[in-house]
Amino acid sequence: MGLRIFNVKFRFGKSRSVFYGLILLVACLLLSFNFSWAATAAAKHYTELVMPPLPEIQLPKNERFVLDNGLVVYLMEDHDLPLVNGTALIRTGSRLEAPDKVGLAGFTGAVMRTGGTQKHSADQINEMLEQRAATVETSISEASGSASFQSLTEDLETVFDLFAQVLREPVFDQKQLDLAKTQARGGIARRNDNPDAIARREFQKLIYGNDSPYARTMEYATLDNISREDLVQFYERYFHPNNMILGIVGDFEARKMRSLIQAKFGDWEPHPEITGYQLSEVTPAHTGGIFFVDQPHLTQSSVLIGHLGGQFDNPDYAALDVLNGVLNGFGGRLLNEVRSRQGLAYSVYAYWSPRFDYPGMFIAGGQTRSDATVQFVQGVKAEIKRLQAQPVTAQELAYAKESTLNSFVFNFENPAQTLSRLMRYEYYGYPADFLFRYQKAVAATTEADVQRVAQKYLTPEKMVTLVVGNQTAIEPPLTQLATTVTPIDVTILMSQSQAQN
C-alpha cells in the first residue's frame, strides 16, 4: 500500500512538471511570434532607409618644415596610443632601372634592410627591434622608394636611430643579395602557376609594350646581370635628403621630435645635382586585337579587356570614378547583367584605373567557364557600349555617387593614413586639398557627365582582349570575336649560365 501511494505521488509530480513545461514553451512561442511579427511589420526595404548626412572631414593638425639639407618633414601628433610611426618617401623607383637589370631597384630596397648597416649587422638590428616590438622596413616599388619604422613611444630614440642608420649607412651585404636573388629565381620558376597572375602580367605588356618600364618582367638573365656594386650605385644615385620626404605620426612632442630629426638627419649632405627625372613617354602598344595564352590544364578562362587610361589630375577623374560605380558592385550593371541575368561569370568587373604621373588603364574582365568565354567577352563589351549609348538612370547615378562618397571617409580612418596622403600628394606635385576637390566633383556629377566621359574615354573598338585558358575547351572558339587570334608564349627563358649547365 505504501508503495502504491509513492507511485501515485511520483506520477503526479512528473505530470505537473510536464504540464508547466508545456505552458512555458507555448508562452515562449507566443512571445517569439509577437516579436517576429513586430520586427517584420517594422522592417523597411534598404532603399527606404534614410541615412544622416556624412560628417564634414577635417584634417588633423600637422606641421611641415624643411631642413637646411632639403629634407621635407611632416609631423602629426596623435596621443591615442603610445606608438610612433614614420615613413620616408624617396624619389626613385623600378621604372628608373636599366632594361637589362630588371629587379635592381627591388633588390636595393630589400637588401638595404636585410644587409645591415655600418654599425650593426642585420641580426643585431633584428634582435634590437624584436626586444622592443618595433619594426624598420625598406622597399622600392615601381614609382617610389620607402623606409618606415614603428616604435613604442618609450623606445623612440633607439628605433629612430636604427631607422636613420638603415637610410644613411646600408652596407648591402653580398650574402643577403645572393639570398634575395635565390628567392627571386624561385618566383620566376613559379610565375606561370596562377592564371590570373599570367593575365595581369601579359596584359600590361599588351597595353604598355614589352620594353616599357611599366611592363618589364624580371628574368633569369636580368638577375645574373645584377651585382652588389649595382645596388650601391643605385642607392647613391637617389638616396639623399634633398630627394626625400619624411613623415612622422604618433605619440610625441613636436619640439622634441624636431630636435631628434635634426640630430639624426641634419648633418646628411645634400646631393647638389639632384633634379626631377625624365619619365618615358607612354603610348599604347596595341589598339585592339584578341590575344590568347593556352593553359591546357585549366577548366575556366581568365579574361582581361581594356586600353590605356589616364591620370588622377584629369579634370574628369571624379566622373570616371562614378562611372566605375555604375559598372561595379552588387548594384552595378556588370554584376546584374553578365553574372546574375546571363550567368556568364564567377567574377566580373570594369574600372578606370588612373595613376599619379603616367597613364593608367581602363580594365574590364573576370573569370568565366571555358565554354562561356566568347559570350562573356561579348557581354562585357555590350555593357560598355550601352553605357555610351544610353544615359544612366537617376537611381543608378544616386547609387554610384552614394557608394563613392560613403567610401570617401575611409581615406581618413586614422592620422597615419591622412599623413600618408599629404606626403603622397607632395611627392607627385598634387595640391594638398586634392581629395576634397575630388569629393566636391563627385557630388556635382550628373547623368550627362557619366555618359559624356564614357563616350570620350572608352573606345571598345580599340580595346585589347586577353584570354588565359584551355584552347580546346573554349567553344565557340575565340575566332568568333576576331579573324586573327594572336597566341602569347609564356615560356620561361633560361639564362646563358643555366643553358651552359
Side-chain angles (χ1 to χ4, degrees):
M1 183 69 177
L3 181 60
R4 289 177 182 174
I5 294 172
F6 174 79
N7 284 342
V8 170
K9 288 182 178 180
F10 174 76
R11 288 169 185 166
F12 176 76
K14 184 175 182 181
S15 299
R16 183 169 56 184
S17 299
V18 173
F19 176 73
Y20 288 144
L22 287 172
I23 291 177
L24 181 61
L25 177 61
V26 171
C28 290
L29 288 173
L30 288 173
L31 189 62
S32 176
F33 173 78
N34 287 335
F35 275 124
S36 300
W37 178 85
T40 303
K44 292 183 179 181
H45 192 268
Y46 77 93
T47 58
E48 298 176 317
L49 298 176
V50 178
M51 300 296 180
L54 293 172
E56 184 176 350
I57 296 174
Q58 300 290 337
L59 290 180
K61 182 181 177 182
N62 64 89
E63 177 184 1
R64 180 190 181 279
F65 60 93
V66 183
L67 298 187
D68 291 341
N69 58 13
L71 176 65
V72 177
V73 180
Y74 282 88
L75 298 181
M76 185 178 290
E77 293 186 41
D78 176 21
H79 301 286
D80 287 348
L81 295 171
L83 296 172
V84 181
N85 296 281
T87 299
L89 289 180
I90 301 92
R91 299 185 189 278
T92 183
S94 62
R95 60 186 176 181
L96 303 178
E97 63 195 6
D100 63 340
K101 295 185 179 183
V102 176
L104 170 59
F107 290 134
T108 304
V111 183
M112 270 186 70
R113 168 64 180 85
T114 62
T117 69
Q118 294 176 14
K119 294 185 178 71
H120 298 288
S121 69
D123 289 340
Q124 289 174 331
I125 293 175
N126 292 338
E127 183 177 354
M128 294 171 72
L129 292 173
E130 288 172 3
Q131 289 173 348
R132 295 164 175 81
T135 61
V136 173
E137 303 294 341
T138 60
S139 65
I140 298 179
S141 61
E142 178 185 82
S144 66
S146 71
S148 63
F149 74 88
Q150 183 178 68
S151 168
L152 292 170
T153 304
E154 63 186 32
D155 297 319
L156 175 59
E157 291 192 18
T158 300
V159 176
F160 193 74
D161 178 62
L162 294 174
F163 170 72
Q165 286 182 44
V166 169
L167 265 175
R168 297 185 59 177
E169 303 172 351
V171 298
F172 296 105
D173 181 68
Q174 181 66 53
K175 291 182 179 179
Q176 292 300 321
L177 173 58
D178 293 341
L179 175 60
K181 291 172 76 170
T182 298
Q183 293 170 338
R185 288 188 179 93
I188 293 174
R190 296 187 301 272
R191 74 182 182 196
N192 289 336
D193 292 353
N194 186 317
D196 290 337
I198 296 173
R200 289 191 298 270
R201 182 185 73 233
E202 299 303 323
F203 190 73
Q204 285 195 268
K205 293 181 181 180
L206 293 172
I207 299 299
Y208 293 109
N210 290 342
D211 298 326
S212 168
Y214 305 110
R216 292 189 299 232
T217 303
M218 185 191 303
E219 303 287 355
Y220 290 124
T222 67
L223 281 180
D224 288 347
N225 291 337
I226 297 171
S227 66
R228 177 187 174 278
E229 185 58 32
D230 292 323
L231 272 63
V232 173
Q233 291 179 2
F234 193 90
Y235 166 83
E236 291 177 346
R237 188 175 301 123
Y238 300 108
F239 282 74
H240 302 280
N242 54 329
N243 199 39
M244 193 178 301
I245 302 172
L246 173 64
I248 301 177
V249 59
D251 183 32
F252 59 83
E253 293 181 12
R255 179 181 56 82
K256 292 183 179 180
M257 182 57 72
R258 289 184 68 135
S259 298
L260 185 59
I261 293 170
Q262 181 64 40
K264 299 302 178 182
F265 290 102
D267 62 345
W268 194 1
E269 290 295 325
H271 194 294
E273 299 178 4
I274 284 288
T275 57
Y277 41 74
Q278 186 68 34
L279 297 178
S280 304
E281 183 181 0
V282 175
T283 56
H286 295 88
T287 53
I290 307 294
F291 298 84
F292 181 68
V293 177
D294 188 21
Q295 297 285 280
H297 62 284
L298 296 180
T299 58
Q300 66 181 46
S301 296
S302 294
V303 181
L304 287 177
I305 306 165
H307 53 51
L308 204 61
Q311 298 182 189
F312 284 110
D313 57 1
N314 185 316
D316 287 324
Y317 163 54
L320 287 161
D321 219 20
V322 175
L323 178 148
N324 288 349
V326 172
L327 286 173
N328 291 292
F330 286 105
R333 290 187 174 186
L334 289 174
L335 198 71
N336 289 345
E337 180 64 23
V338 178
R339 181 181 176 183
S340 298
R341 197 185 74 80
Q342 298 183 36
L344 294 175
Y346 305 118
S347 66
V348 61
Y349 52 83
Y351 52 92
W352 183 265
S353 178
R355 294 292 182 267
F356 279 104
D357 60 357
Y358 73 93
M361 295 183 286
F362 172 75
I363 308 173
Q367 291 78 38
T368 186
R369 306 187 316 273
S370 297
D371 62 357
T373 303
V374 169
Q375 296 96 316
F376 175 84
V377 173
Q378 292 170 333
V380 171
K381 286 192 173 182
E383 288 306 306
I384 294 171
K385 292 178 180 178
R386 184 162 73 93
L387 196 61
Q388 296 176 312
Q390 302 173 9
V392 298
T393 66
Q395 183 178 2
E396 286 179 308
L397 179 70
Y399 173 82
K401 289 172 63 172
E402 185 178 3
S403 299
T404 304
L405 290 172
N406 284 343
S407 64
F408 178 80
V409 298
F410 294 104
N411 294 300
F412 305 92
E413 287 187 278
N414 54 64
Q417 192 176 26
T418 302
L419 182 60
S420 176
R421 282 194 170 274
L422 292 176
M423 294 171 61
R424 190 70 60 181
Y425 291 153
E426 174 155 348
Y427 183 91
Y428 289 107
Y430 279 61
D433 64 343
F434 170 76
L435 205 58
F436 294 99
R437 297 184 189 184
Y438 157 81
Q439 182 188 32
K440 293 178 181 178
V442 168
T445 300
T446 65
E447 293 96 331
D449 289 329
V450 175
Q451 186 178 26
R452 175 181 59 81
V453 297
Q455 293 172 344
K456 181 176 180 180
Y457 296 100
L458 305 184
T459 52
E461 68 278 4
K462 293 184 179 181
M463 289 184 180
V464 171
T465 300
L466 172 65
V467 177
V468 178
N470 184 342
Q471 185 174 16
T472 59
I474 295 177
E475 187 63 39
L478 295 177
T479 49
Q480 285 209 356
L481 299 172
T483 305
T484 302
V485 176
T486 304
I488 295 177
D489 185 3
V490 294
T491 302
I492 300 170
L493 301 177
M494 292 189 297
S495 66
Q496 188 174 3
S497 60
Q498 287 175 311
Q500 291 173 349
N501 293 334

